[in-house]
Amino acid sequence: MANAAMWRADDVGISAFDDLDLSARARRNCEERELYDEALRRGEGLAASTGGLVVETGLHTGRSPKDKFIVCDALTDQTIWWDNNQPITPAQFDRLYDDMAAHARRMSLFAQDLHACATPTHQLNIRVFTEFAWHALFARHLFVPADGASQSFEPELTVLDLPSFQADPSRHGCRSGTVIAIDFSRGVVLIGGTQYAGEIKKSIFTYLNYVLPAKGVLPMHCAVNDGDDGSAVFFGLSGTGKTTLSADPARSLIGDDEHGWDESGLFNFEGGCYAKAIRLSQHSEPDIFAASHRRGAILENVSYDPCAGGFDFDDDSKTENTRIAYPLGYIPNASATRRAGHPRNIVMLTCDAFGVLPPIARLTPAQAMYHFLSGYTAKVAGTERGVKEPQATFSACFGAPFMPRRPTEYADLLRDFILTSQANCWLVNTGWSGGPYGVGRRMPIAATRALLQGALDGSLAQGDFRTDQSFGLSVPASAAGVDKKMLDPVQTWSSREDFNQMAERLVRMFETNFGTLALSVDQQVLDAQPGRTR
């Protein structure tokens, strides 16, 4: 690799690719309209009647976690959670770097100079090179264009995104022709063999998840909104309602996916949203629906009829993971600063397809750490090939694929911030009631919103609570606008025996998962496990 000798293991953030003259060859900092028009001219997508850009990502309609690698070197050897991340050697990364740079020289690239993190203290300068114009537009939507970007812009992280490049497993140490490789020491991300734009966003998130904890900052896979009663954090895996529930017209949206928490409060990593579009409706998600119809929005793998000029958001024939990318400003009540004070409430969202968790429960700090480390939700039949009944999914910190450090590093920061901010912690089930998926029914979104309103305005905490016998959770005895039976899941089932069997099954899943993590946690967190609190 050219100039490889000048890089050292502690040189995080060295500008990359300038030595190969890619910056000079790329079209720098094209604005939205130019990128939109160029994508159409190149045949990368279709112009919708709304002015949106309709694109398809081919074989890869989601992330490729098995194709993601981190360079193992003196910086990362002892600091990466290797049980959850895959290593490659510096030499393998060097060969991949050289081969991708050679491939890039044969094409016209786009370069965007961008910022991540809405606080000046932790602002990250990013340069993203892309092969596709629409990928450059995506990066510009999801992050913040650098004001007056010029040759003086100094990137701390450089991303090279080449969908047409095919990696060689024997040469590059990867698994297939698709590769996402991150070198934290050099501040370089290489993405090849996939058209899925989300890899750009998530690789930048992964980088921040590595560098920020060392600065005392908790990086979080969460949504945040703010109101008269203070800010709220919404943790949750895909499909739990994180974007939907945070987009509250009565509250200011700080962001829908990735945030940091430091001694000053909360701040968004991004400048845009990447919302799931499957079964999107104007009635249940009016702001996101309106954003999808704004000029310049990117609609990824969304079914579109050019003749009729309309979208079919219910069509999952390409993927369940249809997406819309748009700037945060497309949401009417979005925060201009993308910052908020310390949260008054922390909400952990789960979609329990087994139908046994209560719709809302108040958590102690120890229980909050336990559920944060567990990161539970459930897949339902039909969402993935071969899934015929509910399947428990556990993802540490509600985002294990993006967490390079050990989960307890993030959990310890969360515990410290909860204690200093005295935030209230809640577990909210947006899944099923009255039975598992296929028997019961989905929690009514109106009931979930009513429960959240009571949690955020403080009224729910003033009422009486009972202890759930299956999971040891503190559950409200009543809530305005919600049927009392719904608050006690066993009462919604036709058979108490069936409920108890299903609850016991889920408790065992929690225990098994937590055991496999092999985490060093204090006794209070161990005692917060569902099986130990009854």
Side-chain angles (χ1 to χ4, degrees):
M1 178 190 295
N3 291 337
M6 75 178 182
W7 276 318
R8 303 185 309 278
D10 58 351
D11 282 333
V12 177
I14 290 175
S15 178
F17 300 113
D18 287 340
D19 59 314
L20 298 171
D21 202 31
L22 294 190
S23 290
R25 297 164 56 87
R27 295 172 61 175
R28 295 278 296 278
N29 298 314
C30 298
E31 295 190 356
E32 286 85 350
R33 184 71 210 193
E34 185 178 356
L35 293 169
Y36 179 95
D37 290 342
E38 187 65 14
L40 295 178
R41 188 186 70 79
R42 290 172 163 224
E44 295 175 4
L46 299 174
S49 59
T50 59
L53 181 65
V54 182
V55 298
E56 296 186 7
T57 63
L59 177 64
H60 296 282
T61 57
R63 292 180 296 101
S64 301
K66 293 182 180 180
D67 295 307
K68 183 177 177 180
F69 298 86
I70 293 173
V71 173
C72 181
D73 59 16
L75 176 68
T76 60
D77 184 33
Q78 299 299 315
T79 55
I80 295 295
W81 181 27
W82 291 117
D83 290 344
N84 183 63
N85 294 278
Q86 303 179 102
I88 59 171
T89 68
Q92 290 166 335
F93 186 90
D94 288 355
R95 289 193 290 270
L96 180 63
Y97 178 108
D98 285 340
D99 292 347
M100 289 189 69
H103 186 79
R105 291 194 196 96
R106 298 195 291 267
M107 62 185 65
S108 173
L109 297 179
F110 299 88
Q112 287 288 318
D113 292 339
L114 307 165
H115 295 308
C117 300
T119 175
T121 306
H122 306 298
Q123 187 177 81
L124 178 72
N125 289 349
I126 309 164
R127 179 165 292 157
V128 180
F129 292 96
T130 63
E131 176 180 349
F132 292 164
W134 82 264
H135 277 196
L137 180 61
F138 173 90
R140 194 175 176 92
H141 279 351
L142 267 294
F143 296 93
V144 178
D147 292 334
S150 67
Q151 296 296 330
S152 63
F153 181 87
E154 292 291 341
E156 300 163 88
L157 177 67
T158 303
V159 180
L160 178 61
D161 168 54
L162 302 177
S164 65
F165 177 84
Q166 290 293 305
D168 179 350
S170 63
R171 177 172 169 79
H172 303 129
C174 52
R175 187 185 70 96
S176 70
T178 300
V179 65
I180 303 95
I182 304 176
D183 190 325
F184 290 116
S185 295
R186 305 172 186 181
V188 177
V189 175
L190 304 175
I191 303 171
T194 173
Q195 298 182 46
Y196 182 66
E199 298 288 10
I200 299 171
K201 163 190 162 79
K202 291 303 185 183
S203 63
I204 294 170
F205 185 29
T206 302
Y207 179 85
L208 287 167
N209 285 348
Y210 182 75
V211 300
L212 289 179
K215 302 177 181 180
V217 180
L218 172 62
M220 302 178 292
H221 183 215
C222 70
V224 174
N225 65 21
D226 198 11
D228 293 339
D229 42 34
S231 62
V233 170
F234 297 80
F235 288 107
L237 298 172
S238 180
T240 58
K242 181 162 45 65
T243 299
T244 301
L245 294 172
S246 63
D248 183 339
R251 298 172 65 85
S252 176
L253 180 65
I254 306 301
D256 78 332
D257 198 43
E258 298 169 0
H259 295 81
W261 188 354
D262 68 5
E263 60 185 9
S264 299
L266 304 169
F267 60 93
N268 193 351
F269 287 171
E270 303 175 285
C273 299
Y274 192 38
K276 288 198 75 169
I278 196 68
R279 289 175 285 279
L280 177 66
S281 76
Q282 188 171 15
H283 173 71
S284 61
E285 299 170 283
D287 288 343
I288 300 171
F289 186 88
S292 73
H293 286 68
R294 291 279 298 269
R295 178 173 295 277
I298 299 173
L299 297 109
E300 193 178 78
N301 297 313
V302 173
S303 178
Y304 176 71
D305 184 347
C307 297
F311 305 112
D312 182 357
F313 291 114
D314 294 328
D315 185 352
D316 62 359
S317 58
K318 297 174 188 173
T319 177
E320 279 268 337
N321 191 39
T322 55
R323 294 274 178 174
I324 311 162
Y326 50 88
L328 192 64
Y330 280 21
I331 300 297
N333 62 327
S335 165
T337 64
R338 299 178 293 125
R339 299 169 67 179
H342 295 289
R344 290 281 303 278
N345 290 279
I346 296 171
V347 179
M348 297 183 183
L349 300 168
T350 181
C351 177
D352 176 32
F354 298 96
V356 292
L357 283 175
I360 195 166
R362 185 170 58 187
L363 303 176
T364 66
Q367 287 175 324
M369 280 191 69
Y370 176 82
H371 284 279
F372 179 70
L373 288 167
S374 297
Y376 164 69
T377 192
K379 297 175 184 176
V380 298
T383 58
E384 290 187 10
R385 184 179 300 174
V387 178
K388 297 181 180 179
E389 62 178 15
Q391 291 186 359
T393 298
F394 295 92
S395 186
C397 310
F398 292 99
F402 330 118
M403 300 297 171
R405 294 181 180 270
R406 294 172 182 84
T408 48
E409 293 193 46
Y410 306 104
D412 287 345
L413 283 167
L414 178 64
R415 176 199 58 210
D416 293 345
F417 281 125
I418 288 174
L419 293 175
T420 56
S421 67
Q422 296 186 320
N424 298 306
C425 300
W426 306 89
L427 182 69
V428 172
N429 174 23
T430 61
W432 271 257
S433 177
Y437 172 82
V439 177
R441 64 170 184 146
R442 191 78 186 259
M443 292 281 183
I445 192 168
T448 300
R449 290 192 187 280
L451 291 169
L452 274 176
Q453 176 63 34
L456 300 188
D457 67 20
S459 61
L460 198 61
Q462 303 306 312
D464 295 329
F465 284 75
R466 65 173 182 85
T467 300
D468 178 89
Q469 294 303 304
S470 298
F471 298 93
L473 299 169
S474 185
V475 181
S478 63
V482 180
D483 186 343
K484 281 189 175 182
K485 286 185 176 180
M486 188 175 291
L487 291 168
D488 187 5
V490 68
Q491 294 190 42
T492 67
W493 282 56
S494 59
S495 167
R496 180 176 290 269
E497 181 180 357
D498 289 346
F499 173 88
N500 288 338
Q501 289 179 354
M502 189 65 78
E504 184 67 22
R505 180 182 172 190
L506 183 56
V507 167
R508 298 283 83 81
M509 291 178 184
F510 268 99
E511 291 177 339
T512 299
N513 169 73
F514 208 74
T516 60
L517 291 175
L519 301 175
S520 177
V521 295
D522 61 37
Q523 190 60 44
Q524 286 184 318
V525 176
L526 292 174
D527 290 341
Q529 294 187 72
R532 302 192 184 189
T533 53
R534 291 175 291 173

